[in-house]
């Protein structure tokens, strides 16, 4: 089976559909664009423009907040990818939605995974995106430069986050990939490769989907409790 076909089959087993869509948090989505280059899976990422108010200059996936015109999380991810990097929705083969995350602003962020062609030429919208680059997906289980950073969520929940430094030798540039973006990239790589990474992850790798869902629901419960106590 081709690399793409194997990845498709693995990802479909992890599709959560709209299982978490009814949770009462503001919604956002990101697109995790996969492409095959020289027989290997790669992930397309963007760098946020420096003039943005939130997280300027940080690496992220194309994405953003849900708007009234979006009928679901997939719509949001595709619309945002078109606005940010000129990726037309019909150029994306959407495969699945994965277990969501919660960002610093307490948005429920749904990762939407899709395949794009290796020939895609990004046209970054300079108001939102300063750069676009690709990373071999395997880097997110076998990195050359990795550290775990401790942090506390807004609800006081102590945890740690993945932080990767990726050196793009062709372009002589380094990119720091961390936070929720790194969290989604690692989860995607764990699903597709089914291998133990070279660093610690707090999932039960034999029961990846149920442990990811439980971990998310614990985080959600802590955020929701804090939200209620603030009202």
């Amino acid at each position: 089976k081709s690399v793409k076909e194997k990845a498709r089959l693995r990802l479909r087993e992890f599709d959560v559909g709209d299982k978490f869509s009814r949770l009462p948090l503001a919604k956002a989505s990101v697109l995790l664009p996969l492409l095959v280059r020289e027989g290997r899976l790669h992930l397309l990422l963007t760098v946020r423009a420096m003039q943005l108010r939130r997280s300027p200059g940080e690496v992220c996936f194309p994405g953003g907040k849900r708007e009234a015109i979006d009928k679901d999380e997939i719509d949001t991810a595709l619309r945002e990818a078109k606005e940010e990097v000129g990726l037309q929705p019909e150029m994306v083969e959407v495969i699945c939605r994965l277990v969501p995350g919660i960002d610093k602003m307490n948005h429920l962020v749904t990762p939407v995974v899709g395949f794009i062609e290796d020939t895609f030429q990004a046209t970054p919208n300079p108001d939102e995106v300063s750069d676009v680059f690709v990373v071999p997906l395997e880097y997110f289980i076998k990195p050359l430069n990795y550290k775990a950073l401790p942090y506390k969520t807004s609800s006081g929940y102590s945890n740690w986050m993945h932080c990767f430094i990726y050196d793009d030798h062709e372009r002589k540039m380094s990119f720091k990939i961390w936070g929720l973006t790194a969290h989604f990239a690692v989860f995607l790589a764990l699903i597709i490769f089914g291998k133990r990474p070279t660093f610690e992850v707090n999932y039960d790798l034999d029961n990846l989907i149920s442990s990811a869902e439980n971990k998310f629901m614990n985080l959600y419960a802590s955020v929701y409790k804090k939200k209620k106590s603030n009202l």
Side-chain angles (χ1 to χ4, degrees):
K1 286 200 191 93
S2 73
V3 172
K4 215 182 220 183
E5 189 49 34
K6 268 193 203 137
R8 255 193 219 108
L9 292 172
R10 291 280 300 166
L11 286 162
R12 290 208 173 112
E13 289 173 35
F14 284 80
D15 187 4
V16 298
D18 59 4
K19 185 172 181 174
F20 301 100
S21 303
R22 287 170 211 65
L23 294 178
L25 291 177
K27 306 288 189 289
S29 291
V30 290
L31 182 66
L32 278 51
L34 281 169
L35 53 108
V36 179
R37 187 166 283 181
E38 291 162 1
R40 292 166 75 204
L41 289 169
H42 287 67
L43 206 44
L44 180 131
L45 291 138
T46 69
V47 180
R48 290 173 64 83
M50 286 312 287
Q51 70 271 25
L52 289 172
R53 221 177 43 232
R54 218 162 49 82
S55 312
E58 287 193 8
V59 169
C60 64
F61 290 110
K65 288 204 287 272
R66 182 165 184 168
E67 288 182 8
I69 53 166
D70 303 333
K71 58 174 200 292
D72 58 16
E73 295 93 347
I74 295 169
D75 255 18
T76 304
L78 295 177
R79 176 183 52 72
E80 288 281 347
K82 182 182 173 182
E83 286 170 17
E84 289 179 14
V85 296
L87 179 62
Q88 298 300 324
E90 61 275 12
M91 291 166 72
V92 184
E93 181 203 346
V94 174
I95 306 295
C96 65
R97 285 173 272 190
L98 299 178
V99 176
I102 296 174
D103 70 8
K104 302 192 273 275
M105 318 287 291
N106 287 340
H107 288 102
L108 180 82
V109 184
T110 299
V112 175
V113 185
F115 274 106
I116 63 171
E117 289 301 325
D118 176 34
T119 51
F120 168 64
Q121 293 288 320
T123 49
N125 171 353
D127 295 335
E128 298 190 51
V129 173
S130 66
D131 206 353
V132 178
F133 64 104
V134 299
V135 179
L137 183 63
E138 207 171 20
Y139 197 80
F140 297 105
I141 51 168
K142 285 205 291 207
L144 297 172
N145 191 337
Y146 171 87
K147 56 180 182 288
L149 304 175
Y151 78 104
K152 254 193 172 66
T153 65
S154 60
S155 52
Y157 189 76
S158 287
N159 211 328
W160 47 268
M161 65 171 87
H162 305 298
C163 178
F164 300 86
I165 305 294
Y166 177 68
D167 294 318
D168 188 331
H169 297 298
E170 259 175 59
R171 298 174 55 196
K172 304 197 170 31
M173 286 173 83
S174 285
F175 298 97
K176 178 184 177 186
I177 308 161
W178 63 305
L180 198 54
T181 302
H183 166 81
F184 288 150
V186 168
F187 189 54
L188 183 66
L190 289 174
I191 290 171
I192 289 177
F193 297 117
K195 288 182 194 157
R196 193 165 286 283
T198 56
F199 50 88
E200 285 296 307
V201 285
N202 46 4
Y203 294 116
D204 170 0
L205 295 178
D206 297 320
N207 300 290
L208 187 53
I209 192 151
S210 57
S211 82
E213 289 188 359
N214 292 341
K215 202 175 126 172
F216 167 73
M217 287 312 294
N218 290 340
L219 173 63
Y220 168 71
S222 76
V223 167
Y224 194 64
K225 209 162 67 206
K226 175 147 197 282
K227 236 178 123 175
K228 274 173 79 171
S229 69
N230 284 350
L231 291 175

